[in-house]
Amino acid sequence: MSEPLDLDFVVVRYPDPVLRQVAQPVTEFGPELKRTAEAMLQRMIASKGVGLAAPQVGVSIRLFITDHAQREKDGRSDRRVFINPRIENGTGDETYEEGCLSFPGIYANVTRWNRFDLVYQDLLGFEQRLTLDVTAGDFLGVVSQHELDHLDGKVFVDHLTTAQLTLVKRKLRELEKEYKAETGKAGAVLRK
Ligand code: CO
């Protein structure tokens, strides 16, 4: 019998310092990993996200999940788990409007690879390779690059220009104030 899922996962928000940590590689592909992924899926669905990285629920390991079909509103769901992911053969660029569950209310255009291979391990530890092409309609290509950044302690606002940052600065300050009120600490605030 499996243990009950940890449904207490909450999404940490900017400027929580866990969002700035480089996450640890996954080495154990056992039931605990599967439970973590399942609890993250429940959290992502409840929060209406299209992607969620483990550091966003305070677990600093190299794992993220996606449900990109939800965004395309085609009625299907395409939930996936990516472990120890990396990008190979990146070419071209594509700009897309992004948001993040850790930055509620903030949206901005980010430019990333257009076409690339996403190499990763599945829940059993087997290596997989997906070729993604954003221009050809692979929204998963946008989501997966955003989530992979989280595993390296990077967040989407790091990609913004000074002009773009000016537009979201007020929202960032609000999140910083909320974090300070909740924790009594400043957190890892954006330096720019
Ligand atoms: Co995010």
Side-chain angles (χ1 to χ4, degrees), residues 121-132:
Q121 283 168 284
D122 61 24
L123 276 169
L124 297 174
F126 292 112
E127 188 165 285
Q128 308 285 346
R129 179 181 292 265
L130 261 180
T131 298
L132 296 167

Side-chain angles (χ1 to χ4, degrees), residues 56 99-103 146-147 150 156:
Q56 288 183 280
C100 181
L101 291 175
S102 297
F103 290 79
H146 174 115
E147 301 308 331
H150 278 301
F156 82 113

Side-chain angles (χ1 to χ4, degrees), residues 39-58:
M40 282 175 60
L41 274 170
Q42 298 307 315
R43 171 41 58 203
M44 182 175 70
I45 292 161
S47 299
K48 298 185 175 17
V50 293
L52 185 66
Q56 288 183 280
V57 292

Side-chain angles (χ1 to χ4, degrees), residues 14-15 103-108 156-158 160-178 189-192:
Y14 168 82
F103 290 79
I106 297 180
Y107 300 90
F156 82 113
V157 294
D158 295 337
L160 305 190
T161 62
T162 309
Q164 283 180 300
L165 272 176
T166 306
L167 297 173
V168 301
K169 207 147 254 179
R170 193 174 55 84
K171 283 271 183 193
L172 288 172
R173 292 294 103 86
E174 281 173 21
L175 291 172
E176 289 163 13
K177 266 189 209 158
E178 283 172 24
V189 298
L190 215 64
R191 292 286 165 221
K192 291 195 271 189

Side-chain angles (χ1 to χ4, degrees), residues 8-52:
D8 295 331
F9 274 162
V10 291
V11 178
V12 302
R13 292 178 170 192
Y14 168 82
D16 193 304
V18 73
L19 296 173
R20 290 305 187 184
Q21 281 174 27
V22 176
Q24 293 300 306
V26 172
T27 53
E28 301 276 340
F29 292 82
E32 198 187 326
L33 186 70
K34 195 157 182 277
R35 274 199 299 276
T36 299
E38 282 174 3
M40 282 175 60
L41 274 170
Q42 298 307 315
R43 171 41 58 203
M44 182 175 70
I45 292 161
S47 299
K48 298 185 175 17
V50 293
L52 185 66

